[in-house]
Amino acid sequence: MKSKNFASDNNAGISPQAMRGLIEANEGHVPAYGEDHQTTQAKEVIQQWLETRADVYFVTGGTAANCLSIASSIRSYQSVVCHPFAHIENDECHAPSFFKAGVQLRFADGPNGKMKLGSLDGIIESSHGVHGTLPGLISITQCTEVGTCYTPNEIKALSNEAHQKGMHVHMDGARFSNACISLAASPAELSWRSGVDLLSLGGVKNGLGFGEVLVVFNKEVSDRLDYRVKQSGQLMSKMRFLSAPWIGYLESGEWKSNAQNANEMAMIFSEKMDRFDFIKILYPVETNAIFCEMPEGLPEYLEKQGWNFYPFNKVGGWRLMTSWDSQIDEIEAFVQDVEFWAHKMS
Ligand SMILES: *Cc1c(COP(=O)(O)O)cnc(C)c1O
């Protein structure tokens, strides 16, 4: 068995096509700072994948992509509305305010990690004019922090609501591919065709090694990202190593098979876990994460057997996460250990 690891899809390695792209890019001298042919080609491949000529920036990670989206599209007196579970709120050391001094995050709650439609009026009203911040952007996470997905119609409805209030729409797509697979929807349908203005497009959790992509669909909303990327230390000199892996990863369909495997494994895993009456699955399993409550003693026992996973405090419960390379025998062995524990207890 490979890993005994359900801690995070971030713990997995690089998948073969992405690795091949990386190795092939290590050929000779090419211009730096994104002026190389691999970066030009990778941008075109991403544009084709998204079916539109969006602006594409390769940055070091999702935090940078999220915060550059925010910094370039709102003013310092404006706020960003997101779900309380959002990565920008819980997992980025308040980097939004580092990239954009003054920015405030405000929250629109909703079940299953999704922002509820119709929240914006209340948020705007509670600002009491110039005494509060002016909501300027919504940021939705696809798939959400609890592994659920916004359907195209849900995205459209939220985008319409935001646009009607003069706000822009950002999507944190750290696991965007998993959502495309889960919904059987095209990348275009889940983004710009549903009103998304800016997308943080993740690849690392789905088999790439480093770097994420910032995509600007609506060029009117972002102010001089070219300069902001450089100013924030996000213009990598040897850009080809960030960009080139995307070419084969998308063109070969590896993005799809990777996400498919991760999602499928989670589905099988959750069905098996759901059969134990002492395990409570907390959210619908739609992509590659399972959140569950476990009885006292079980997590400790599993950890002693060498399993790696952890409690996810921001949403409650334990998170079991599958990856592009998760295998059925790992899942079966985990479930066997759960059975063994239950047997011992009875
Ligand atoms: C992993 C993740 C990110 C990106 O995190 P980095 O570590 O900055 O690359 C962003 N949003 C969500 C929802 C994530 O899960």
Side-chain angles (χ1 to χ4, degrees):
M1 200 176 318
K2 253 164 105 176
S3 64
K4 286 201 148 192
N5 198 322
F6 296 112
S8 175
D9 41 10
N10 253 339
N11 291 19
I14 301 179
S15 57
Q17 291 296 331
M19 185 54 107
R20 177 181 297 182
L22 192 59
I23 289 165
E24 281 174 8
N26 194 29
E27 195 48 51
H29 283 219
V30 302
Y33 297 109
E35 303 292 323
D36 59 283
H37 65 274
Q38 290 101 330
T39 298
T40 304
Q41 193 190 343
K43 283 182 182 177
E44 283 167 6
V45 169
I46 290 171
Q47 287 169 341
Q48 275 161 18
W49 189 69
L50 290 164
E51 301 174 60
T52 185
R53 292 197 73 81
D55 286 344
V56 171
Y57 299 90
F58 296 94
V59 296
T60 55
T63 299
N66 286 342
C67 294
L68 280 166
S69 297
I70 291 169
S72 69
S73 65
I74 64 164
R75 299 179 185 272
S76 61
Y77 53 81
Q78 289 186 309
S79 42
V80 179
V81 179
C82 60
H83 192 275
F85 293 166
H87 201 268
I88 52 173
E89 161 66 4
N90 297 285
D91 305 288
E92 301 188 357
C93 192
H94 219 287
S97 73
F98 183 79
F99 279 66
K100 184 77 179 185
V103 70
Q104 184 187 24
L105 302 185
R106 302 176 71 186
F107 306 107
D109 209 344
N112 294 332
K114 297 195 238 179
M115 248 171 81
K116 209 162 48 205
L117 192 66
S119 308
L120 297 179
D121 269 333
I123 289 171
I124 292 167
E125 271 161 35
S126 71
S127 303
H128 55 109
V130 298
H131 302 280
T133 53
L134 180 66
L137 180 76
I138 64 166
S139 179
I140 58 178
T141 311
Q142 179 79 320
C143 58
T144 70
E145 280 74 6
V146 296
T148 54
C149 298
Y150 288 94
T151 64
N153 281 339
E154 286 173 328
I155 303 167
K156 275 178 205 146
L158 283 167
S159 298
N160 281 341
E161 185 184 344
H163 288 148
Q164 274 164 19
K165 316 258 174 235
M167 298 168 68
H168 307 310
V169 178
H170 167 249
M171 179 174 275
D172 176 350
R175 297 188 179 89
F176 187 74
S177 301
N178 301 82
C180 292
I181 296 302
S182 172
L183 296 160
S186 71
E189 195 180 357
L190 287 193
S191 57
W192 62 276
R193 287 214 179 101
S194 298
V196 173
D197 298 307
L198 301 141
L199 170 68
S200 301
L201 173 59
V204 164
K205 286 168 175 150
N206 195 37
L208 293 182
F210 40 80
E212 306 271 83
V213 173
L214 168 48
V215 182
V216 184
F217 298 113
N218 182 353
K219 295 170 198 186
E220 280 161 28
V221 312
S222 78
D223 174 41
R224 296 319 298 253
L225 253 172
D226 48 352
Y227 280 84
R228 287 176 192 278
V229 165
K230 175 65 197 179
Q231 190 181 43
S232 58
Q234 290 298 316
L235 187 71
M236 296 294 104
S237 59
K238 293 191 181 178
M239 184 82 83
R240 59 176 150 156
F241 297 112
L242 246 70
S243 58
W246 281 89
I247 300 168
Y249 164 79
L250 290 184
E251 284 191 331
S252 68
E254 187 170 71
W255 72 275
K256 208 172 189 173
S257 49
N258 282 357
Q260 230 148 16
N261 183 68
N263 288 8
E264 259 170 43
M265 288 298 124
M267 203 60 72
I268 293 170
F269 201 174
S270 70
E271 278 162 13
K272 289 183 185 294
M273 293 294 278
D274 206 27
R275 286 190 208 130
F276 298 110
D277 54 10
F278 50 84
I279 303 268
K280 187 177 166 214
I281 310 267
L282 296 171
Y283 298 98
V285 177
E286 296 175 6
T287 53
N288 65 327
I290 301 161
F291 292 84
C292 60
E293 274 168 11
M294 294 189 194
E296 233 181 274
L298 176 58
E300 295 78 2
Y301 173 77
L302 292 168
E303 278 162 1
K304 258 198 221 125
Q305 306 310 307
W307 294 105
N308 188 9
F309 60 101
Y310 60 91
F312 214 64
N313 295 327
K314 82 177 163 182
V315 305
W318 296 81
R319 186 180 75 169
L320 298 168
M321 186 144 239
T322 55
S323 311
W324 67 268
D325 64 346
S326 290
Q327 294 175 341
I328 189 75
D329 61 344
E330 294 173 85
I331 288 161
E332 281 166 356
F334 185 98
V335 171
Q336 254 169 28
D337 281 347
V338 176
E339 264 162 17
F340 191 81
W341 176 85
H343 195 69
K344 237 177 32 167
M345 289 292 114
S346 63

